[in-house]
Amino acid sequence: MKRSILITGGAGFIGSHVVRRFVTAHPDYRIINLDKLTYAGNPANLRDVENAPNYTFVQADICDFDTVCSLFKEHAIDGVIHLAAESHVDRSIEDPFTFARTNVLGTLSLLQAARHAWNGDWNGKLFHHVSTDEVYGALPLTGGMFTEQTPYAPHSPYSASKAASDHFVRAFHDTYGMPTLVTNCSNNYGPCQYPEKLIPLFIQNILQGKPLPVYGSGENVRDWLYVEDHAEAIDTVFHRGTPGESYNIGGNCEISNIQLARILTATADRLLGNPPGTSERLITHVQDRPGHDLRYAIDSTKLQQELHWHPATPFEQGIEKTVRWYLSHQG
């Protein structure tokens, strides 16, 4: 094999799309998928590639330093794409310790294992850390976007843990010379997402006739990115990005939560054959969550100009594909 790449969290939502892309688009790469298989990891996400000759699955915890070290040695790992993380903000508010353990200490475990395995021979090596735009904090409703120079200002235990992991990755580059990359992405949507997140939760509740809980007034704005476009961006940055740099990945698609709820209900009703407005009546405003960031917006100019990546999936097309997928995967 030309390369041996460790992808962490590859049974999860974004991770499974990244694994599938690398297994199919790079048949001369050995892809090792390391996933603990917590509640959000599902091997069924990769049924179509699980028997591919260049794919290996390993169930383990990234915090298990000895196991991670043995994987680097056994498979001669020369590249890491690190996606494994606790990522649900509401869960981080309830249990910040788990987020600190997985997102901070787990990242440190991988970095240290890579440093020991590569032992200063950085030629052909790369550690690509996948992070979030939430590390930047929040923006006002009008004006401004997150760039790679935006100061970090995390507001939730989740975003604080991801910010800390980003800092460790950069510290390993600056201290040891390890070739690293950091990508910070906006909100992803698409097939295979665990139903605690907004879009799959709403689709599931629409099917069951349950309320669609919208925090506060629903004016909070997110920049939505189709997950397959994100996987393509990771592929692009991994192969053409400059070590030591960071790249923002966004969908150029800002939508408020209340707008999103209305788009989802209208799309679902159309595909289900319901009369227009049937599911919109399920929208229910609930008490806002603590520290709820008002707006995220990614400026991905650097990635687009330097590496020539652009989001390819219009939101209307992506959301229809997403709703159709969940309708066909009920139960």
Side-chain angles (χ1 to χ4, degrees), residues 205-224:
N205 284 12
I206 288 169
L207 290 170
Q208 298 174 3
K210 293 181 178 180
L212 309 180
V214 174
Y215 282 125
S217 64
E219 66 178 351
N220 304 75
V221 172
R222 299 296 181 258
D223 177 5
W224 290 96

Side-chain angles (χ1 to χ4, degrees), residues 20-301:
R20 179 177 298 103
R21 180 179 181 89
F22 272 75
V23 167
T24 56
H26 305 287
D28 54 345
Y29 289 6
R30 165 64 63 188
I31 304 301
I32 298 92
N33 174 12
L34 171 61
D35 198 298
K36 187 180 178 181
L37 294 184
T38 61
Y39 73 94
N42 185 359
N45 292 343
L46 292 165
R47 286 282 184 255
D48 55 330
V49 298
E50 65 182 3
N51 295 317
N54 63 329
Y55 173 70
T56 300
F57 173 73
V58 177
Q59 183 175 354
D61 187 344
I62 58 173
C63 293
D64 184 346
F65 182 66
D66 290 340
T67 296
V68 173
C69 286
S70 68
L71 284 175
F72 271 85
K73 183 177 181 179
E74 178 183 355
H75 296 284
I77 302 294
D78 55 35
V80 177
I81 302 175
H82 175 37
L83 297 112
E86 295 284 347
S87 65
H88 191 44
V89 173
D90 288 351
R91 287 179 183 264
S92 80
I93 294 170
E94 295 297 322
D95 181 17
F97 280 107
T98 295
F99 282 70
R101 179 183 182 274
T102 299
N103 297 352
V104 183
L105 295 181
T107 300
L108 183 57
S109 171
L110 289 162
L111 286 164
Q112 189 74 334
R115 185 170 76 92
H116 285 179
W118 298 340
N119 194 30
D121 177 12
W122 307 125
N123 187 40
K125 311 299 195 303
L126 184 63
F127 191 107
H128 180 164
H129 176 61
V130 179
S131 189
T132 172
D133 59 356
E134 297 189 39
V135 298
Y136 298 124
L139 294 165
L141 273 183
T142 58
M145 301 180 80
F146 297 137
T147 72
E148 289 81 1
Q149 285 72 46
T150 301
Y152 276 29
H155 293 152
S156 71
Y158 161 61
S159 57
S161 68
K162 290 298 289 185
S165 66
D166 291 8
H167 290 321
F168 266 111
V169 173
R170 294 192 180 98
F172 268 64
H173 173 268
D174 294 347
T175 302
Y176 306 112
M178 180 183 291
T180 65
L181 291 163
V182 177
T183 50
N184 298 87
C185 72
S186 59
N187 281 42
N188 280 219
Y189 71 99
C192 302
Q193 191 171 23
Y194 190 75
E196 69 184 356
K197 297 298 179 75
L198 191 150
I199 288 178
L201 173 67
F202 276 21
I203 297 171
Q204 178 178 272
N205 284 12
I206 288 169
L207 290 170
Q208 298 174 3
K210 293 181 178 180
L212 309 180
V214 174
Y215 282 125
S217 64
E219 66 178 351
N220 304 75
V221 172
R222 299 296 181 258
D223 177 5
W224 290 96
L225 172 67
Y226 191 61
V227 65
E228 291 181 6
D229 289 346
H230 187 194
E232 181 187 6
I234 288 172
D235 193 346
T236 299
V237 173
F238 183 83
H239 287 98
R240 292 163 34 205
T242 301
E245 292 292 318
S246 298
Y247 297 88
N248 281 349
I249 306 172
N252 297 336
C253 181
E254 292 185 50
I255 299 175
S256 71
N257 288 346
I258 190 64
Q259 287 177 303
L260 179 62
R262 289 168 180 155
I263 292 170
L264 278 173
T265 55
T267 303
D269 282 344
R270 175 168 52 81
L271 295 178
L272 290 167
N274 294 335
T278 299
S279 299
E280 187 170 341
R281 292 192 291 268
L282 298 172
I283 296 174
T284 305
H285 293 272
V286 298
Q287 182 178 355
D288 209 353
R289 72 180 176 207
H292 194 183
D293 292 335
L294 183 58
R295 171 174 167 258
Y296 303 146
I298 280 279
D299 182 345
S300 56
T301 299

